[in-house]
Amino acid sequence: MNSLTDRTRPRPSAGQQTRGRTSLRTPTPEADQTRTLLTVAFRSSGMAILLISAVVVVTLVSASSDLTGTFGAIATTWLAIHQVPVVIDDVQLGVLPLLPTALMMWVVARRCASAATLADTRIAVARLVGAAVAGPLTVTAICLVVVADASAAIPLSSPNALSAFGWVAGIHLVAATVGVVVAHWQIIEPELPRWASAAVRPGAWTTSALLAAGSIAVLCALLISWSTVGDLLARGGGFVGVLGLTVLSLLYLPNLVVGAVAVMTGASADIGEVSTSVFGNIGGDLPPLPVLGAVPAGTGGGFWPVLLVVPVVIGIYLGRDCARRVGGQDGILTAVAAAFMSGTVIALLALASGGELGYFGAVEVTWWAVGFLTFGWLALFGSISALITTWLQHRAVPAPEPTVTAPPAQQAETAESEGDDTNSDTDSDSVSTDESVDETGSVQESETEETEDTDETDEPAESAEIEAPELAAEESQAEESKAAEVEVDAVTVVEDSAEESATDLPSPVKDPSD
């Protein structure tokens, strides 16, 4: 009754259960971890599917096509983003753009890095990486089923399932691992050797420098052959066609940059029958893609080998940077490790940038040759540069001046000679009384000097007595006792010298007559 009057509702006890309603509870750590894992597994993939769906629908509508094969096109695009070769109308398309793949890996790495800050154990990190791989694999399995079902309505063929799962797992595993390592780098770095941890940043900027040099080379080639690029764009037949060719060229631009890097290191880039190298080119037919206008049409040669200077210069700067970060022999090991890291990344990019291109043949860059040449250039000139930089650093530091110390035997001889000199001085003092008297005078003079010194010291002592009378009294007593000891020592020396002189006088001789 009181509860009705006060309009308050009694809370149920812990053992009671409310009927018709669920009680609100705070989320447990297991629930938070499950939510995080589901977010990592499916959020990036879901956003990618939504974006792919929008692009496919807009493309089909712009091309005035029906939406019969929309789901098949979406599933095929998901596989193409992960570098899975697709077959359209019995024509295999294995050369797929790297730009969407790079964007996907960047998004996954960021997602895993933000989630890895909450994972404080190895088991939690392993679950996180497993979720980042399991989610895309699930989406890939669904896409393979959709492609197989859509192949009855549109000219699509199901790709190799093993290849599809392998590419998807590898891409997301690398991206998730990079994100976790970046998030836990402060914990991982102390566990690595010094030269290995110091090689990460030089290896990263070295790879970026090579790709930047390749981008500049492609841009210069496009400007030189701008007329050819314009003719290829004009084949679009309208705004939509030109826009489509432009977007397609931008998507394939990173593939061309990787090919330029391969040419700069001394390898060759092949597009069907066309081969490009710094030592010579082989001409042929190319696909009508505007970005391929950057491929040189001549035979090459001439000043083209000058492009080999690019990895040499980058290797020199790499060795200089590593020697400044880690001195001594570790600087050379750091340069070699950074070169290995850069060569591995370039080799993987070369592997992903190639493939079959239908009737034109294979578009490939010999990935192992590019990786080995990149490692060789950077490791050779990086080691030489690191060695020279270390030598210059040691040469610039002035050597400390050596301190000369006498050997123990020589010190003992000097001590004995000083002892002999003191003994000879005491013997000479005991020869005559006059010399002792002189010594007594000198002692008295020293006493007077000490007395003057005490008088001089008494003046500041008197000023100090005002502030600390007890300390001044103690100092004056100590000075007086010291003066008294000096006087007693002087009197003793005078008496001893007098006695010695008296004993040295000859005894009187008696007269025999007496």
Side-chain angles (χ1 to χ4, degrees):
M1 189 67 182
N2 293 331
S3 62
L4 295 176
T5 325
D6 298 337
R7 295 187 179 184
T8 58
R9 180 177 299 175
R11 296 181 180 180
S13 60
Q16 296 177 352
Q17 294 182 357
T18 58
R19 297 181 180 179
R21 294 184 181 180
T22 57
S23 60
L24 298 177
R25 298 180 180 178
T26 57
T28 60
E30 291 79 6
D32 292 338
Q33 186 177 6
T34 303
R35 188 182 299 108
T36 302
L37 294 178
L38 290 176
T39 302
V40 171
F42 295 104
R43 186 169 183 176
S44 301
S45 302
M47 293 177 61
I49 290 295
L50 290 177
L51 184 60
I52 290 170
S53 302
V55 171
V56 168
V57 171
V58 170
T59 303
L60 292 177
V61 172
S62 301
S64 301
S65 175
D66 55 359
L67 303 179
T68 305
T70 304
F71 294 104
I74 293 172
T76 303
T77 306
W78 167 266
L79 297 176
I81 287 178
H82 292 87
Q83 300 297 315
V84 180
V86 296
V87 179
I88 304 173
D89 200 7
D90 296 332
V91 177
Q92 184 177 3
L93 181 61
V95 185
L96 300 168
L98 290 177
L99 185 59
T101 306
L103 291 177
M104 171 64 75
M105 295 181 69
W106 179 71
V107 171
V108 173
R110 285 198 60 183
R111 181 67 58 187
C112 291
S114 62
T117 56
L118 303 176
D120 53 354
T121 60
R122 293 184 178 181
I123 297 177
V125 171
R127 290 176 180 174
L128 180 65
V129 176
V133 176
L137 288 178
T138 304
V139 178
T140 302
I142 297 173
C143 289
L144 289 175
V145 174
V146 172
V147 170
D149 183 64
S151 60
I154 57 177
L156 280 178
S157 299
S158 288
N160 188 359
L162 183 61
S163 175
F165 286 123
W167 276 105
V168 173
I171 288 173
H172 286 269
L173 179 62
V174 171
T177 304
V178 171
V180 171
V181 169
V182 171
H184 292 278
W185 179 246
Q186 295 181 354
I187 302 175
I188 298 174
E189 185 178 6
E191 298 180 359
L192 297 176
R194 185 183 179 188
W195 56 268
S197 60
V200 175
R201 290 188 177 179
W205 76 254
T206 300
T207 307
S208 302
L210 288 172
L211 295 176
S215 302
I216 294 173
V218 171
L219 180 61
C220 293
L222 287 173
L223 293 177
I224 292 173
S225 59
W226 183 250
S227 59
T228 305
V229 175
D231 294 339
L232 293 173
L233 285 174
R235 295 182 181 182
F239 176 75
V240 178
V242 173
L243 181 61
L245 289 175
T246 303
V247 172
L248 197 60
S249 297
L250 292 176
L251 293 177
Y252 276 100
L253 188 60
N255 299 59
L256 206 61
V257 170
V258 174
V261 173
V263 172
M264 286 181 180
T265 57
S268 62
D270 301 332
I271 306 176
E273 297 178 355
V274 180
S275 179
T276 305
S277 176
V278 293
F279 305 107
N281 300 332
I282 299 175
D285 296 332
L286 291 174
L289 190 63
V291 74
L292 295 180
V295 178
T299 58
F303 66 92
W304 280 51
V306 179
L307 295 175
L308 296 175
V309 177
V310 174
V312 173
V313 173
I314 294 176
I316 291 173
Y317 276 97
L318 171 64
R320 184 181 178 185
D321 186 19
C322 293
R324 289 181 176 180
R325 291 176 181 270
V326 183
Q329 186 178 0
D330 290 341
I332 300 176
L333 293 176
T334 304
V336 174
F340 179 79
M341 174 182 172
S342 181
T344 303
V345 173
I346 295 298
L348 293 176
L349 291 176
L351 177 64
S353 64
E356 294 292 331
L357 190 58
Y359 301 107
F360 290 95
V363 178
E364 61 180 354
V365 176
T366 309
W367 61 271
W368 58 268
V370 176
F372 180 76
L373 288 173
T374 303
F375 169 74
W377 286 112
L378 297 179
L380 176 61
F381 290 94
S383 301
I384 295 174
S385 177
L387 184 62
I388 295 175
T389 304
T390 304
W391 177 70
L392 291 176
Q393 288 177 351
H394 286 290
R395 185 180 180 183
V397 176
E401 296 181 357
T403 56
V404 180
T405 57
Q410 186 175 358
Q411 293 179 359
E413 291 179 358
T414 54
E416 291 178 357
S417 61
E418 291 177 357
D420 295 339
D421 293 339
T422 54
N423 293 332
S424 61
D425 292 339
T426 53
D427 293 340
S428 61
D429 290 339
S430 62
V431 172
S432 61
T433 308
D434 297 334
E435 294 179 355
S436 63
V437 172
D438 294 337
E439 183 179 1
T440 306
S442 63
V443 170
Q444 294 177 354
E445 291 178 359
S446 64
E447 292 176 358
T448 56
E449 290 177 358
E450 291 178 355
T451 308
E452 293 176 358
D453 294 335
T454 55
D455 294 337
E456 293 177 358
T457 55
D458 288 335
E459 294 178 358
E462 292 175 358
S463 62
E465 287 176 356
I466 300 173
E467 299 177 357
E470 296 180 358
L471 181 63
E474 292 178 358
E475 291 180 354
S476 60
Q477 291 178 2
E479 291 175 356
E480 292 177 359
S481 62
K482 183 178 179 180
E485 290 177 359
V486 172
E487 292 178 358
V488 172
D489 293 338
V491 173
T492 306
V493 170
V494 171
E495 292 177 356
D496 293 340
S497 59
E499 291 177 0
E500 290 178 358
S501 59
T503 54
D504 291 338
L505 293 176
S507 58
V509 180
K510 294 182 180 182
D511 191 0
S513 59
D514 295 338

